[in-house]
């Protein structure tokens, strides 16, 4: 795990990942997003990615961030 992900970027990646997963028929990522949104009742501040101060509690966001912003 690297440093913190800026909140704005974490939220943007979360939304992109949710959109990608919504087009899938099945998958663990799709289920993870579904569970996160169900548990947080659409409250952005309570999403899995924001569960700690580093904004790194969602492996999908972590992977996308590391691929896109870490070189």
């Amino acid at each position: 795990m690297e440093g913190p992900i800026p909140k704005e970027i974490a939220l943007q990646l979360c939304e992109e990942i949710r959109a990608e997963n919504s087009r899938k028929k099945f998958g663990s990522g799709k289920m993870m997003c579904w569970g996160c949104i169900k548990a947080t009742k659409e409250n952005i501040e309570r999403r899995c990615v924001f569960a700690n101060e580093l904004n790194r509690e969602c492996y999908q966001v972590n992977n996308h961030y590391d691929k896109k912003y870490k070189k």
Side-chain angles (χ1 to χ4, degrees):
M1 175 162 55
E2 297 288 326
I5 300 173
K7 190 171 186 170
E8 300 79 26
I9 294 174
L11 183 58
Q12 175 190 352
L13 290 172
C14 181
E15 292 298 329
E16 289 173 9
I17 292 165
R18 283 185 63 204
E20 285 175 28
N21 285 332
S22 71
R23 292 188 293 269
K24 295 178 182 176
K25 197 166 189 167
F26 301 105
S28 61
K30 181 179 180 101
M31 291 304 296
M32 186 176 177
C33 285
W34 177 84
C36 177
I37 297 305
K38 211 54 169 156
T40 61
K41 297 177 177 47
E42 292 285 337
N43 183 346
I44 291 171
E45 296 297 318
R46 295 183 63 208
R47 287 188 186 171
C48 295
V49 69
F50 301 125
N52 72 20
E53 66 278 354
L54 299 178
N55 300 330
R56 282 201 168 262
E57 284 297 309
C58 176
Y59 82 89
Q60 296 181 98
V61 171
N62 294 346
N63 289 342
H64 279 70
Y65 180 78
D66 291 342
K67 286 177 187 173
K68 196 170 186 176
Y69 295 98
K70 300 286 181 182
K71 303 227 182 235

